[in-house]
């Protein structure tokens, strides 16, 4: 089908508001336009945003010559309980806010007339999430048009049968679903664009017209699984990709000589072009095989791969939940630069733009379904719908993921305490089996919080309707009783990471998880690293994945995984900071978080003030900036050998707010003006036998690296040069790192992340106070105003988790000397940006092509 951009010329407003609304271009996040206050029913979980129900409307023309053609809309993501009306008639309903769905327009449009589409996104019923969700149509919308004969949307599925060798060609299976019987032709072009294979086949009508897209429809193997029906009782229109109109199927096996394999190190992508009648559809894919077993762990193209992963939420910081392709690719690129080779889409299916970026860059993906099953974690969350919709949701997730070589795992859920119950254990197996029917080429996991399963079975943190009612009555009020994962998170913050990991080693934790683990291909351990060795011995066929872990465990995990093939990987919480769960991972002091309250053990970031916006638990901050924890990660996961230096803020006094999800607040700077003689904590990260620290040429001591890649020196601060040396076991220097104190002069450095902007595209501008040589000055806290000409300011602000101003104003204050602006280019030849601070105006001309 022909795919057309349907993202411009929309209007949006709150459902109850009068008038036509405001013109917008999709994707659009309505929630980040809302007020943040104590009246927020979602509270700190959603960053204190108030929320509502929203309506989006668009008018469009359908010419007379399109009469008789099939027309569909694809919504990649609407949060949530989406209702779609076409010319006033209800066309579709989809409760889940993270799954793409299709709406058949064919019988509803008027030819030669003006047509209208109206979308209602309902998000007033709070609380319904443990993190910031955004609201409205936050991912793109596409219009598909098919003539008499066409290839169905998501109608081409490609699977590698063998990768080939120097003497043998690679073999792929291509399954094609079409509207009518007829000839289909396929051309395969290699990464450079050269044609390497071509074939034709006849598309024939299938008996029974199976529309579910099971593995028989994908690869011609065995019998196709039943379609992903949504269950009964919602009265909504079916959204299964229009396959009820496309009941014909063609299957081809194609040989590709001298195939270039896709791998994380060399992410080579081929293009499959399918022609059917006048229709032409192209799909990019990679030639790669995937294996998993107890003997070799996880393998790609026959070679073992260790997942060095990061959990990420779907928001894009200053852009809210909007899934701009540039933002999704930037997130992946930054994570890869800091040592990660995999992401977990916590806790919902990721966007198509993210998968495309992962394919191009070589990032591996575990795509996750949901954060709850049939037990609520919040009163109005998806547990009310999950049992009726999980088959449809999973079918749509697989349809989205199938051709993407970057996707190597499916996850059916996160911290679902149902896995400790007989009913939930059966559901675990049912979803695993169902996913195998849709796609037998990828393993299935589920992230189980091991200690939480035990606590839940003991009645601690258990959700109930009665508790939910009380929670709703107390929404926005400090001290409300936490349940579910929020209860566990509160415990972890109070007791620390070791208490949680030790708790997971208790024998009853095994009892409450073993049956669920037996019903999946890969056992997902949330915070269970201390029981890896025990379980590897007890369960010799079990594959273990650290589906959620603490930052400080990266070194321990990687050393264990290198020795034991059945530990296939690790996903730290979190790779990048995110909005919501406000303050859960923050280490803040009184100067940046004045709402933190004094306690016996220091200052506590309990998120009870609506100034708190982000979790503060990313190895990259909410703006994507990397500091000490990212440096540690690069060394722990062997992205770099080191040594690398980071220093905790010397001038900060008193205790910071505690969190198990943060390892350090050190940053790569030795510029702490006015702190001469004060105690400085200097951290060195290195893969070495020993390290030595020098200050202005004087040795401050040497330390052995014993079963660690991080050591700390405590020395008096003295401006000048800080030098770290690393040594091998024979005392030979193998690396060095230097930090220098910034000079007296202070300037605003404006650093675009790209040389040019695309017309209509977005770009990131890093703002940083430095000296004349570009040496960062983290103690510069300044207020700035910004003006953008020939473009639009999409977001502007700092990375502090306590951020009452947010990102949607034309003014901001720096956080440790830094801020970020995100702009969208118009059609002119350049975007002009002016930033004004106490020193005057600073201008940047950003070329556009």
């Amino acid at each position: 089908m022909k795919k057309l951009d349907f993202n411009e010329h929309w209007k949006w407003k709150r459902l109850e508001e009068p008038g036509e609304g405001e013109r917008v271009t999709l994707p659009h996040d309505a929630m980040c336009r809302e007020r943040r206050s104590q009246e927020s029913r979602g509270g700190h979980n959603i960053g204190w945003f108030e929320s509502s129900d929203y309506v989006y409307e668009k008018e469009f023309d359908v010419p007379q010559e399109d009469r008789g053609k099939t027309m569909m809309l694809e919504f990649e993501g609407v949060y949530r309980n989406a209702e779609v009306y076409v010319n006033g008639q209800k066309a579709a309903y989809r409760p889940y806010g993270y799954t793409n769905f299709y709406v058949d327009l064919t019988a509803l449009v008027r030819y030669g007339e003006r047509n209208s589409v109206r979308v209602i996104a309902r998000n007033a019923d709070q609380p319904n999430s443990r993190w910031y969700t955004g609201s409205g149509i936050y991912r793109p919308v596409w219009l598909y048009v098919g003539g008499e004969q066409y290839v169905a949307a998501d109608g081409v599925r490609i699977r590698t049968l063998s990768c080939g060798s120097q003497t043998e060609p690679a073999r792929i299976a291509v399954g094609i679903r079409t509207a009518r019987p007829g000839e289909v032709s396929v051309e395969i072009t290699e990464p450079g664009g050269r044609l390497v294979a071509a074939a034709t086949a006849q598309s024939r009508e299938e008996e029974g017209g199976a529309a579910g897209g099971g593995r028989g429809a994908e690869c011609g193997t065995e019998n196709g699984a039943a379609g992903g029906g949504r269950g009964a009782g919602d009265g909504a229109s079916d959204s299964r990709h229009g396959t009820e109109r496309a009941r014909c199927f063609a299957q081809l096996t194609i040989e590709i000589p001298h195939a270039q394999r896709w791998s994380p190190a060399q992410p080579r992508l081929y293009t499959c072009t399918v022609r059917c009648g006048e229709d032409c559809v192209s799909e990019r894919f990679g030639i790669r095989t995937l294996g998993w077993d107890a003997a070799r762990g996880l393998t790609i193209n026959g070679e073992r791969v260790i997942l060095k992963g990061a959990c990420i939420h779907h928001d894009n910081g200053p852009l809210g939940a909007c899934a701009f392709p540039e933002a999704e690719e930037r997130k992946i690129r930054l994570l890869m630069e800091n040592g990660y080779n995999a992401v977990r889409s916590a806790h919902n299916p990721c966007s198509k733009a993210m998968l495309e970026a992962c394919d191009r860059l070589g990032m591996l993906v575990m795509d996750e379904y949901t954060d709850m099953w049939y037990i609520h974690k919040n009163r109005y969350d998806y547990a009310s719908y999950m049992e009726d919709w999980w088959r449809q949701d999973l079918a749509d997730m697989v349809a989205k993921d199938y051709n993407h070589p970057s996707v190597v795992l499916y996850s059916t859920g996160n911290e679902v305490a149902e896995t400790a119950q007989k009913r939930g254990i059966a559901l675990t197996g049912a979803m695993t089996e169902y996913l195998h029917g849709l796609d037998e080429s990828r393993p299935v996991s589920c992230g189980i919080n091991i200690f939480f399963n035990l606590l839940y079975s003991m009645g601690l943190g258990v959700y109930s309707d009665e508790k939910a009612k009380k929670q709703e009555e107390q929404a926005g009020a400090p001290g409300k009783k936490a349940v579910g994962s929020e209860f566990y998170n509160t415990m972890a913050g109070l007791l620390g990471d070791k208490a949680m990991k030790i708790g997971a080693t208790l024998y009853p934790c095994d009892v409450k998880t073993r049956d669920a683990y037996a019903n999946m291909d890969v056992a997902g351990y949330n915070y269970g690293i201390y029981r890896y060795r025990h379980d590897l011995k007890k369960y010799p066929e079990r594959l273990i994945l650290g589906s959620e872990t603490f930052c400080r465990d990266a070194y321990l995990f990687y050393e264990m995984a290198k020795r034991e093939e059945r530990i296939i990987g690790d996903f730290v919480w979190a790779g990048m900071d995110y909005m919501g769960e406000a303050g859960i991972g923050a280490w803040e002091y009184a100067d940046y978080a004045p709402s933190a309250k004094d306690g016996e053990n220091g200052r506590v970031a309990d998120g009870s003030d609506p100034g708190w916006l982000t979790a503060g638990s990313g190895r990259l901050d909410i703006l994507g900036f990397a500091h000490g924890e990212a440096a540690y990660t690069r060394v722990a996961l062997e992205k770099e050998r080191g040594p690398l230096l980071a220093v905790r803020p010397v001038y900060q006094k008193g205790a910071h707010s505690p969190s198990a999800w943060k390892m350090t607040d050190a940053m790569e700077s030795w510029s702490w003006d006015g702190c001469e003689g004060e105690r400085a904590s200097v951290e060195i990260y290195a893969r070495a036998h020993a390290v030595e620290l020098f200050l202005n040429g004087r040795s401050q001591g040497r330390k052995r690296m014993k079963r660690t890649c991080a050591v700390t020196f405590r020395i008096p601060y003295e401006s000048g040069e800080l030098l770290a040396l690393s040594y091998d076991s024979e005392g030979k220097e193998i690396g060095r790192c230097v930090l220098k104190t910034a000079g007296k002069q202070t300037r605003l450095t404006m650093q675009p992340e790209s040389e040019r902007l695309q017309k209509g595209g977005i770009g990131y501008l890093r703002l940083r106070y430095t000296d004349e040589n570009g040496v960062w000055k983290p103690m510069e806290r300044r207020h700035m105003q910004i003006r953008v000409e020939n473009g639009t300011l999409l977001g502007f602000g700092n990375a502090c988790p306590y951020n009452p101003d947010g990102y949607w104003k034309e003014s901001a204050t720096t956080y440790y000397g830094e801020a970020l602006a995100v702009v969208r280019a118009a059609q002119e030849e350049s975007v002009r940006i002016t930033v004004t601070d106490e020193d005057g105006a600073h201008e940047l001309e950003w070329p556009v092509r």
Side-chain angles (χ1 to χ4, degrees):
M1 302 182 80
K2 188 176 182 180
K3 182 179 180 181
L4 304 172
D5 191 317
F6 206 70
N7 294 299
E8 295 185 347
H9 310 301
W10 288 81
K11 294 180 181 178
W12 84 281
K13 64 176 184 176
R14 294 168 189 85
L15 185 60
E16 69 279 4
E17 286 181 339
E20 293 186 351
E22 176 187 346
R23 290 185 177 272
V24 294
T25 297
L26 305 180
H28 177 264
D29 180 3
M31 181 180 277
C32 64
R33 273 75 179 170
E34 297 285 10
R35 190 171 67 116
R36 291 163 58 209
S37 76
Q38 288 279 6
E39 296 177 16
S40 167
R41 307 297 292 181
H44 77 281
N45 280 332
I46 60 172
W48 294 102
F49 286 91
E50 297 176 15
S51 194
S52 182
D53 296 334
Y54 307 92
V55 61
Y56 291 77
E57 295 180 305
K58 173 178 172 131
E59 293 185 343
F60 63 104
D61 294 317
V62 181
Q64 285 284 1
E65 52 265 32
D66 281 349
R67 186 179 296 274
K69 293 183 178 180
T70 298
M71 303 181 68
M72 291 194 303
L73 286 178
E74 179 192 12
F75 292 86
E76 289 194 21
V78 181
Y79 199 87
R80 64 181 180 82
N81 283 338
E83 303 169 24
V84 181
Y85 297 83
V86 179
N87 293 326
Q89 185 172 342
K90 189 172 183 179
Y93 166 71
R94 193 62 179 262
Y96 198 31
Y98 299 106
T99 303
N100 64 308
F101 63 96
Y102 293 79
V103 181
D104 194 341
L105 307 181
T106 308
L108 302 174
V109 295
R110 302 169 185 148
Y111 299 93
E113 299 182 28
R114 199 74 167 155
N115 291 263
S116 68
V117 58
R118 187 170 191 256
V119 180
I120 297 175
R122 300 190 180 276
N123 202 16
D125 50 349
Q126 295 285 345
N128 64 51
S129 177
R130 296 190 302 110
W131 61 87
Y132 179 85
T133 60
S135 296
I137 311 177
Y138 67 97
R139 289 177 181 169
V141 180
W142 308 96
L143 173 65
Y144 290 83
V145 180
E148 182 178 350
Q149 173 67 304
Y150 60 84
V151 177
D154 291 334
V156 178
R157 296 200 176 182
I158 306 155
R159 178 178 175 182
T160 301
L161 301 177
S162 66
C163 285
S165 64
Q166 292 183 347
T167 58
E168 296 291 330
R171 296 172 61 247
I172 62 171
V174 182
I176 304 165
R177 191 168 293 283
T178 65
R180 297 174 181 270
E183 184 177 272
V184 295
S185 66
V186 177
E187 292 182 348
I188 307 296
T189 52
E190 66 181 10
R194 184 174 66 90
L195 179 68
V196 294
T200 61
Q202 290 295 316
S203 178
R204 295 182 171 84
E205 188 167 355
E206 293 184 306
E207 293 184 9
R215 69 172 182 262
E218 298 154 2
C219 305
T221 62
E222 303 178 7
N223 294 321
R230 65 178 181 277
D234 53 49
S237 98
D238 200 301
S239 57
R240 286 179 296 176
H241 319 349
T243 48
E244 63 276 0
R245 293 180 175 272
R247 299 179 179 275
C248 299
F249 183 73
Q251 177 68 45
L252 301 89
T253 299
I254 299 175
E255 294 186 346
I256 302 175
H258 311 294
Q260 302 177 54
R261 301 176 182 180
W262 187 97
S263 68
Q266 295 179 311
R268 301 183 177 109
L269 292 172
Y270 284 75
T271 301
C272 174
T273 302
V274 178
R275 291 181 172 83
C276 177
E278 297 182 357
D279 197 14
C280 181
V281 174
S282 292
E283 288 281 339
R284 300 186 80 182
F285 70 99
I287 296 174
R288 69 110 176 94
T289 57
L290 187 67
W292 62 96
D293 57 44
R296 297 185 299 168
L298 183 72
T299 60
I300 294 178
N301 304 328
E303 298 183 3
R304 189 188 177 212
V305 172
I306 300 174
L307 300 178
K308 297 178 281 187
C311 298
I312 53 173
H313 271 316
H314 71 294
D315 76 86
N316 281 305
L319 301 174
C322 293
F324 292 103
E326 300 96 327
E328 301 289 66
E329 179 165 325
R330 177 182 185 261
K331 182 184 292 185
I332 296 304
R333 173 176 53 81
L334 292 175
L335 289 168
M336 293 185 71
E337 290 174 358
N338 284 281
Y340 299 106
N341 69 358
V343 291
R344 173 194 183 201
S345 65
H347 304 289
N348 46 261
C350 64
S351 70
K352 289 187 173 183
M354 177 162 285
L355 291 182
E356 291 164 2
C358 291
D359 287 348
R360 288 192 303 271
L361 299 177
M363 179 71 95
L364 303 175
V365 178
M366 178 168 74
D367 210 4
E368 188 156 84
Y369 171 36
T370 186
D371 187 48
M372 70 291 296
W373 288 353
Y374 54 80
I375 296 176
H376 288 270
K377 295 181 180 179
N378 288 281
R379 185 173 188 182
Y380 299 107
D381 65 24
Y382 195 61
S384 300
Y385 309 92
M386 183 269 181
E387 288 191 284
D388 287 336
W389 280 88
W390 68 263
R391 291 176 179 83
Q392 178 71 63
D393 292 339
L394 291 180
D396 288 335
M397 184 174 76
V398 169
K400 170 178 66 75
D401 294 354
Y402 194 87
N403 293 338
H404 292 279
S406 57
V407 180
V408 296
L409 273 164
Y410 296 122
S411 170
T412 56
N414 169 68
E415 294 184 346
V416 279
E418 293 92 331
T419 52
Q421 302 175 348
K422 185 176 181 180
R423 176 183 169 193
I425 292 166
L427 180 57
T428 305
M431 286 196 283
T432 298
E433 183 179 356
Y434 185 71
L435 283 167
H436 287 166
L438 296 170
D439 180 3
E440 63 183 0
S441 71
R442 294 175 171 97
V444 178
S445 185
C446 179
I448 297 179
N449 191 315
I450 299 171
F451 190 39
F452 178 41
N453 266 29
L454 172 61
L455 296 177
Y456 198 92
S457 67
M458 296 167 60
L460 298 175
V462 176
Y463 183 97
S464 69
D465 288 338
E466 182 180 352
K467 286 183 179 178
K469 185 177 180 180
K470 291 181 180 179
Q471 182 189 48
E472 185 183 17
E473 292 170 352
Q474 298 169 353
K480 71 180 182 68
K481 191 171 183 179
V483 297
S485 295
E486 187 178 349
F487 169 80
Y488 175 84
N489 292 343
T490 302
M491 282 193 62
L494 293 173
L495 301 180
D497 64 298
K498 281 191 176 181
M500 301 300 102
K501 292 180 288 188
I502 291 171
T505 66
L506 299 175
Y507 172 72
C509 290
D510 182 26
V511 175
K512 293 299 180 181
T513 56
R514 61 193 179 194
D515 293 332
Y517 282 148
N519 278 351
M520 60 186 81
D521 302 311
V522 177
Y525 284 46
N526 283 21
Y527 309 109
I529 194 169
Y530 285 178
R531 66 173 307 122
Y532 286 4
R533 290 190 176 92
H534 172 273
D535 287 1
L536 288 170
K537 292 179 180 179
K538 185 172 183 178
Y539 302 102
E541 297 300 314
R542 180 180 290 182
L543 299 180
I544 292 176
L545 172 68
S547 41
E548 198 165 307
T549 62
F550 294 111
C551 174
R552 67 180 71 253
D553 292 330
Y555 176 85
L556 173 61
F557 144 71
Y558 199 54
E559 291 305 297
M560 293 173 66
K562 287 189 292 185
R563 297 191 297 269
E564 176 51 66
E565 287 82 357
R566 287 188 290 137
I567 301 174
I568 72 165
D570 173 281
F571 289 94
V572 70
W573 192 268
M576 190 168 179
D577 195 14
Y578 54 95
M579 294 200 293
E581 285 194 311
I584 189 176
W587 280 16
E588 291 305 327
Y589 303 84
D591 60 338
Y592 278 112
S595 73
K597 62 184 181 182
D598 291 322
E600 293 181 3
N601 298 317
R603 304 182 63 80
V604 180
D606 62 1
S608 60
D609 184 302
W612 288 97
L613 177 58
T614 79
S617 60
R619 313 292 72 80
L620 305 178
D621 66 29
I622 193 72
L623 305 182
F625 300 164
H627 295 303
E629 289 184 334
Y632 160 78
T633 300
R634 295 197 299 274
V635 172
L637 300 182
E638 296 186 345
K639 172 77 172 178
E640 298 182 35
R641 191 176 188 178
L644 300 177
L645 276 166
V647 183
R648 295 193 58 201
V650 180
Y651 77 96
Q652 294 287 17
K653 301 296 185 289
H656 58 74
S657 53
S659 172
W661 283 274
K662 200 167 188 68
M663 171 184 151
T664 180
D665 58 358
M667 51 195 73
E668 293 158 300
S669 177
W670 192 241
S671 299
W672 306 102
D673 191 34
C675 295
E676 299 289 331
E678 296 188 17
R679 188 182 181 119
S681 292
V682 179
E683 299 177 6
I684 302 179
Y685 318 122
R687 288 274 181 175
H689 178 75
V691 294
E692 188 171 7
L693 182 66
F694 292 83
L695 176 58
N696 293 325
R698 305 185 305 273
S699 176
Q700 304 298 302
R702 181 183 292 211
K703 292 190 177 185
R704 285 276 306 274
M705 308 295 285
K706 299 179 180 179
R707 295 187 296 277
T708 185
C709 69
V711 295
T712 300
F713 290 81
R714 291 176 174 82
I715 62 173
Y717 177 77
E718 178 183 300
S719 61
E721 181 180 276
L722 196 65
L723 168 67
L725 299 181
S726 59
Y727 304 99
D728 64 16
S729 58
E730 297 178 354
K732 179 182 177 181
E733 180 186 330
I734 57 175
R736 60 174 52 204
C737 180
V738 174
L739 291 178
K740 294 183 178 181
T741 303
K744 295 298 183 183
Q745 182 181 346
T746 300
R747 56 179 291 185
L748 176 62
T749 301
M750 303 170 71
Q751 301 173 308
E753 292 190 0
S754 59
E755 291 184 4
R756 294 179 178 271
L757 294 168
Q758 298 286 340
K759 289 185 177 181
I762 70 172
Y764 291 79
L765 176 65
R766 186 168 186 169
L767 303 166
R768 196 179 216 198
Y769 283 99
T770 69
D771 69 5
E772 63 275 16
N773 297 314
V775 178
W776 175 35
K777 306 183 83 170
M779 291 183 68
E780 290 294 329
R781 187 173 184 181
R782 300 202 186 187
H783 187 74
M784 300 182 293
Q785 297 278 342
I786 190 168
R787 186 176 76 253
V788 177
E789 300 173 68
N790 303 332
T792 304
L793 179 67
L794 298 180
F796 180 45
N798 66 52
C800 186
Y802 184 85
N803 188 346
D805 292 332
Y807 306 113
W808 302 282
K809 298 180 179 179
E810 294 183 344
S811 62
T813 302
T814 58
Y815 176 65
Y816 290 111
E818 296 181 306
L820 181 78
V822 189
V823 302
R824 173 188 273 158
Q827 299 301 309
E828 287 79 5
E829 293 183 355
S830 66
V831 173
R832 185 177 296 109
I833 300 173
T834 303
V835 177
T836 304
D837 63 8
E838 61 190 57
D839 293 331
H842 312 266
E843 294 187 351
L844 174 74
E845 197 88 10
W846 204 343
V848 176
R849 58 184 175 189

